[in-house]
Amino acid sequence: MRSLSSAGWSLALSAVMAAALVHPSHALVAPRGQEALVAVGAVPRTHRATTWSRPGAFDARGLPGWTALWDRDTEVPLRLWGPGVVAPGAVREPALAEAAARRFLAAHLALLAPGATPADLVLVTNQLGAAGDVRSVGFVQHAGGVRVLGGAIGVTFKADRVVMVSSTALPDVAVAAAPPARDAAAIGTTATAWLAASGYPVRVTSAPTRVLLPLVPTRRAGGAPVTVRLVDQVTVEAIGQAGRWDVWLDAVDGRPVARRSTLMFASGRVLFDVPDRSPSGTRGPRPAPRATHQVNGIPTLSDVDGTVTWADGAATVTPGLTGPLVRVINEAGSLLAETLALDDAADLVWSRPTDETGDAQLSAFVFASTAKTYARANFAPDLAWLDRQLAVSVNEPDACNAYSTGDDIHFYRQQISNTPGNLSCANTGRLADVVYHEFGHSLHANSIIEGVGQFDGALSEGMSDMFAAFITQDAGMGRGFFFSDAPLRDINPAVDKRWPDDTTGEVHDDGEIIAGTLWDLRTALIASLGATEGDARARLIYYGILQRATDIPSSYVEALVADDDDGDITNGTPSVCAINAAFGAHGLADPQLSLGLRPPVRDGLTLSVTATPPASTAACPGPAVASVVATWKPRGGAAAELPLAIGATAGTYTVELPAQPTGTVLQYQVTVTLEDGTRVRFPNNAADPFYEAYIGEVEPLWCASFEDGAADWTLGASPSSRNEWAVGAPQGLAGDPKVAFGGTSVLGTDLSTDGMYERSTSMVAQSPVIDLQGNTSVRLQYRRWLGVEDGFFDGARVLANGTEVWASYASASGEGANVHHVDREWRFQDVDLTAQAASGAVSLRFELASDPGLELGGWNLDDVCVVIAKPAPACEADGTCDGEVDDGGCCSAGARPEGALALALGTLGLVVGRRRRRTPQA
């Protein structure tokens, strides 16, 4: 089977969870039996890496005005949306929707599922949303008739238009002839033995299923490529403890490939101590709805307010903890039982406030019933899962935890500890917020629209916190867990968490980003629309995300779809301003997209930045641009700041950089600060944070444009089998450019496969020897688009005559060595070659060395030139330079420092008539 890409494990993580209905999350402390994805020879990464396309990117594909949120690892658009494609009757008629979806997919399958055929997509869902205005049509991916776990494409209709398409399809999946089915007993024996070797006695609970499993190992850990394995999947459960896994075994040799825990643990840090939320708060009678009680010995079902009826007079009642919707299971022994008297027209209060295990049974029944009632009334009145009985296990023999299996929910006993390092915590069945949170996981698992949404651990943690917050109307989640009023998680902190800056890989931490986003959105909607309408709009958006998002980055676009009212989210949605503000403050809305920010443009020493919001957001009052500041310095000198002022053109900010002496390399960056505190910095490269411009005139001596290839270059690698140097048109893979800087061709590493350089490899591109013709004041000037891991691990460098003249940034130690050099635009670079000129000739060498771990996009080179630096003009007695007054003052240079290709192209005939002139950052 073909290797897909060299990415991390999040793709496999989300793929496996979505396709196999596996819904993992985590706990306050890592409980036994709950482990991350375990694969033979691989380590999982923490989250999907995404990037945004810019307006106009799909015009040539027949989708003018469409935009995408890309999965950077698969180069497949995670979400694709635009003005909408007309599909008459699609919202009302399922058959019309399916036909329209298939037409769209047939036209754009190479984009949404490269290498797939229409027959590989199997319809699994054709569903009208709860609000009746959104229809979702979902397809799951197959290859060779076998389902690809997590591979899916969803088509969303609104106002009879295709408004959004989602894709988690795996590109270029191929499967050889399937081997015959293996013996089910042998599969079970291998699976149980693998878990037993890790200390987990288990039993098999499902028949084997043959599937294709995408494996995306973390490159830092081993560098193995992404593969798709034909496997047999089986489910096992732990014996005598909490634990459940899906296990995948190779379909050919039967060896273990990977396993994934399917338990969902809540954060044990939930801290709620408010009325009716924890044992340390106030208490009061609450109805026990839809419970079966023994009334005078006759089973009697209560109604929603707890009312029961009988013949007449007083009754003897044995309250029950089981009903058609909720069933309590007491893991500490028999269910609580007590016989009480109930008079006509009176209330019977069953109370066990000082009995931990008894109170947990009563509380969990009421809280689970409350959660079900709230979900049905506010999110999914037609969700069949809400009509089924929910098993609620309490008083389990562990402590400081709770979990969901994706259906039933489980809660642990109280723990009082005086041992340092051990927790003291309340019985989680007695904590309303914990019950609401765990129910939220199960609601999420059962609300996902197959083929459209997927289960993601961090997303589910945040959404479950927000579910509890909707009921409690409190941003503090888990009060009372540690017998105090302090919250375990505050989803409205003083400083907002942002994606991806504040991600840690721990799902509860990362989940706080989406929970905080939705809390802020709800607050803003209530402020603008009023309490009732604002909360209703927030719930509508929340449930749209719950059903259709695949992870936290995809939530922004799904929020717009849920909010849309005309089938075209590019023209704005009713709450687009509030959505942009909330999601933008948490790093989930791209300000370059929503505000129309463009990289700075330099014309001579005039620097300008444009912020022109698209029509869909132009009416939004914020976050507006608060300030634009340029930081500049001579290379090697001290930095200074200059504010950019609003220019004559609306949305344009300009500043004139100070004139500099000839021969200066001017470095500059621009920081745009928005009113909500968001900062956007150009260039967006922490490892090389300044643009460069050479001040003065230069004359090209030798140039390589790569339009006619690179036959005079020596291109190689060690080992030689991993040589990926190529000349051609860049394809935008792995963060590479989509077009050359000038013309059509570049010299780069892996332009056409997956875009990433090889692991454990040294790559070299050596220029021919360049005769300097007696010139000694020479410089190397070229355009670069480079992606390379922090130099502590991988490194890129430039050598001239064997001497290093530039190297990518390297951290001092491996601890925190994550300052990767990632260009996101064509960058101009100047290197002084005066020291090498003494030999009379120079040869250039571009290198890249990689370790066994993370790989990025590598080198992309264009317009590589060796130039002669002209001296500054001499001062005349009348104060002029060569008879003309210099803009920057005599003997200074300030006008139009364009670099290597500004002069003499015609006289040398190197690239005449070929180059597109651009000076956005040179």
Side-chain angles (χ1 to χ4, degrees):
M1 271 160 279
R2 185 186 184 281
S3 170
L4 296 182
S5 74
S6 181
W9 263 95
S10 68
L11 174 60
L13 208 69
S14 59
V16 170
M17 290 189 295
L21 294 181
V22 175
H23 311 290
S25 61
H26 293 257
L28 177 65
V29 293
R32 181 170 174 79
Q34 190 272 333
E35 58 185 1
L37 183 66
V38 175
V40 177
V43 178
R45 76 172 185 176
T46 59
H47 59 269
R48 189 195 308 267
T50 59
T51 186
W52 300 82
S53 67
R54 292 291 174 257
F58 299 100
D59 292 1
R61 295 176 179 266
L63 295 171
W66 284 61
T67 307
L69 176 67
W70 290 89
D71 186 320
R72 291 181 61 179
D73 301 316
T74 64
E75 295 294 333
V76 169
L78 183 65
R79 291 295 184 276
L80 177 70
W81 69 96
V85 175
V86 175
V91 173
R92 182 184 68 257
E93 296 293 340
L96 295 177
E98 180 184 349
R102 290 190 181 279
R103 287 196 301 272
F104 189 96
L105 296 183
H108 304 288
L109 195 58
L111 171 67
L112 296 164
T117 68
D120 291 333
L121 300 178
V122 177
L123 179 71
V124 290
T125 302
N126 194 332
Q127 177 178 326
L128 192 63
D133 62 340
V134 176
R135 179 171 292 279
S136 300
V137 180
F139 302 85
V140 295
Q141 183 182 13
H142 288 66
V146 182
R147 181 167 180 172
V148 181
L149 289 185
I153 297 180
V155 182
T156 302
F157 297 88
K158 197 160 190 177
D160 286 344
R161 302 170 72 90
V162 176
V163 65
M164 171 80 67
V165 182
S166 63
S167 179
T168 55
L170 282 300
D172 304 319
V173 180
V175 58
R182 299 182 64 250
D183 180 67
I187 292 172
T189 298
T190 303
T192 55
W194 189 27
L195 269 297
S198 298
Y200 302 115
V202 298
R203 58 175 174 266
V204 176
T205 60
S206 74
T209 303
R210 185 153 289 183
V211 295
L212 285 163
L213 174 68
L215 292 178
V216 190
T218 178
R219 289 162 289 178
R220 173 70 56 81
V226 178
T227 58
V228 176
R229 298 279 295 274
L230 186 66
V231 295
D232 291 314
Q233 174 181 307
V234 67
T235 300
V236 300
E237 287 186 350
I239 299 172
Q241 59 183 303
R244 180 181 297 159
W245 293 263
D246 276 341
V247 181
W248 295 281
L249 309 176
D250 189 276
V252 177
D253 60 24
R255 294 180 180 178
V257 174
R259 69 177 186 248
R260 177 73 196 186
S261 171
T262 63
L263 292 184
M264 283 184 293
F265 285 78
S267 168
R269 299 174 56 209
V270 181
L271 309 170
F272 275 39
D273 187 26
V274 294
D276 298 317
R277 289 166 69 180
S278 78
S280 49
T282 60
R283 306 175 67 92
R286 297 273 294 274
R290 308 291 289 169
T292 301
H293 309 297
Q294 294 291 327
V295 180
N296 292 331
I298 300 173
T300 305
L301 183 66
S302 65
D303 62 19
V304 292
D305 66 356
T307 299
V308 293
T309 60
W310 65 93
D312 56 29
T316 298
V317 179
T318 302
L321 292 165
T322 298
L325 300 180
V326 174
R327 175 172 64 96
V328 171
I329 301 168
N330 179 23
E331 296 291 348
S334 301
L335 278 177
L336 182 66
E338 189 171 357
T339 300
L340 304 169
L342 177 58
D343 293 331
D344 185 19
D347 291 336
L348 178 157
V349 179
W350 195 14
S351 179
R352 288 294 187 97
T354 61
D355 174 5
E356 177 206 339
T357 60
D359 192 48
Q361 297 171 59
L362 304 180
S363 300
F365 182 90
V366 171
F367 297 152
S369 298
T370 299
K372 266 203 168 185
T373 300
Y374 185 87
R376 180 181 288 105
N378 294 283
F379 295 124
D382 299 323
L383 182 61
W385 174 77
L386 291 173
D387 295 324
R388 299 201 297 265
Q389 188 184 66
L390 174 68
V392 181
S393 295
V394 298
N395 302 319
E396 297 204 355
D398 209 331
C400 302
N401 252 326
Y403 67 90
S404 162
T405 66
D407 191 354
D408 48 279
I409 52 181
H410 298 251
F411 304 94
Y412 290 170
R413 295 193 59 170
Q414 173 178 294
Q415 175 173 281
I416 305 295
S417 176
N418 296 317
T419 303
N422 286 351
L423 300 175
S424 292
C425 50
N427 185 307
T428 52
R430 304 173 78 185
L431 301 174
D433 291 31
V434 180
V435 177
Y436 300 156
H437 175 97
E438 295 309 324
F439 181 88
H441 280 306
S442 295
L443 177 66
H444 185 192
N446 287 279
S447 295
I448 293 170
I449 299 173
E450 187 179 6
V452 180
Q454 292 185 6
F455 193 96
D456 173 79
L459 174 67
S460 193
E461 292 298 335
M463 298 299 280
S464 296
D465 277 358
M466 190 62 202
F467 179 80
F470 272 119
I471 299 177
T472 65
Q473 301 185 45
D474 180 14
M477 176 21 206
R479 302 187 194 273
F481 190 90
F482 294 120
F483 308 107
S484 77
D485 192 42
L488 166 64
R489 288 188 292 275
D490 185 352
I491 63 175
N492 186 30
V495 178
D496 287 333
K497 284 191 169 186
R498 295 178 59 85
W499 184 278
D501 304 350
D502 296 314
T503 58
T504 67
E506 200 286 316
V507 290
H508 300 93
D509 289 346
D510 295 352
E512 289 181 51
I513 299 173
I514 184 60
T517 300
L518 293 174
W519 179 266
D520 290 349
L521 177 60
R522 177 180 180 270
T523 301
L525 292 172
I526 288 174
S528 61
L529 302 176
T532 301
E533 187 177 348
D535 186 68
R537 176 62 56 168
R539 286 186 275 106
L540 175 70
I541 293 170
Y542 170 91
Y543 199 64
I545 295 171
L546 201 72
Q547 287 185 298
R548 295 190 295 272
T550 50
D551 50 18
I552 291 176
S554 66
S555 62
Y556 168 66
V557 185
E558 293 300 347
L560 293 176
V561 170
D563 188 55
D564 179 58
D565 61 352
D566 66 355
D568 181 0
I569 63 176
T570 65
N571 65 7
T573 68
S575 304
V576 65
C577 295
I579 292 172
N580 280 344
F583 280 78
H586 292 268
L588 293 171
D590 185 355
Q592 295 187 56
L593 190 67
S594 59
L595 294 179
L597 282 178
R598 298 292 183 268
V601 173
R602 184 183 54 77
D603 184 2
L605 291 177
T606 300
L607 194 61
S608 61
V609 173
T610 301
T612 306
S616 62
T617 60
C620 296
V625 174
S627 65
V628 184
V629 175
T631 303
W632 68 274
K633 62 178 181 178
R635 187 162 66 189
E641 291 187 350
L642 286 173
L644 276 70
I646 298 177
T649 304
T652 299
Y653 300 79
T654 64
V655 70
E656 192 76 13
L657 297 174
Q660 303 294 317
T662 294
T664 300
V665 176
L666 180 66
Q667 295 185 318
Y668 60 96
Q669 64 180 206
V670 175
T671 301
V672 181
T673 302
L674 308 182
E675 289 179 342
D676 67 353
T678 299
R679 291 187 177 184
V680 182
R681 179 163 291 165
F682 299 101
N684 181 14
N685 184 346
D688 189 12
F690 284 88
Y691 296 119
E692 288 188 345
Y694 178 76
I695 306 299
E697 295 185 358
V698 299
E699 178 181 339
L701 179 64
W702 172 92
C703 283
S705 69
F706 307 112
E707 293 304 297
D708 297 321
D712 52 350
W713 286 66
T714 301
L715 308 176
S718 179
S720 59
S721 61
R722 296 179 181 174
N723 181 14
E724 292 189 301
W725 287 104
V727 175
Q731 304 297 314
L733 302 174
D736 286 351
K738 296 182 183 299
V739 295
F741 175 76
T744 60
S745 293
V746 303
L747 171 63
T749 51
D750 191 359
L751 299 180
S752 60
T753 304
D754 62 12
M756 287 177 282
Y757 54 80
E758 288 280 356
R759 65 191 187 279
S760 301
T761 304
S762 295
M763 286 160 280
V764 176
Q766 181 91 31
S767 77
V769 175
I770 302 161
D771 183 0
L772 300 181
Q773 303 174 23
N775 293 287
T776 58
S777 182
V778 294
R779 311 184 76 85
L780 166 64
Q781 296 184 341
Y782 66 100
R783 301 285 173 164
R784 171 203 84 205
W785 192 311
L786 170 66
V788 64
E789 189 182 14
D790 189 304
F792 184 84
F793 300 103
D794 296 351
R797 62 180 188 153
V798 181
L799 297 89
N801 290 347
T803 299
E804 181 182 292
V805 293
W806 180 86
S808 58
Y809 177 84
S811 295
S813 69
E815 184 68 27
N818 58 1
V819 184
H820 310 316
H821 182 114
V822 180
D823 290 330
R824 294 175 172 86
E825 57 192 305
W826 281 107
R827 297 284 298 274
F828 170 82
Q829 188 161 359
D830 171 276
V831 178
D832 187 356
L833 298 181
T834 302
Q836 287 72 39
S839 67
V842 68
S843 179
L844 308 173
R845 182 181 176 98
F846 293 85
E847 294 185 352
L848 195 154
S850 63
D851 68 359
L854 179 67
E855 301 90 47
L856 300 178
W859 280 110
N860 295 273
L861 299 167
D862 206 355
D863 289 351
V864 179
C865 290
V866 175
V867 301
I868 305 167
K870 297 299 187 71
C875 284
E876 303 293 341
D878 60 0
T880 65
C881 296
D882 293 336
E884 296 183 3
V885 176
D886 181 33
D887 291 342
C890 187
C891 300
S892 68
R896 307 196 64 79
E898 299 295 351
L901 295 182
L903 299 175
L905 295 181
T907 60
L908 293 182
L910 297 174
V911 285
V912 175
R914 181 185 66 78
R915 299 328 243 167
R916 297 191 301 275
R917 301 306 335 135
R918 305 186 203 168
T919 57
Q921 83 285 343

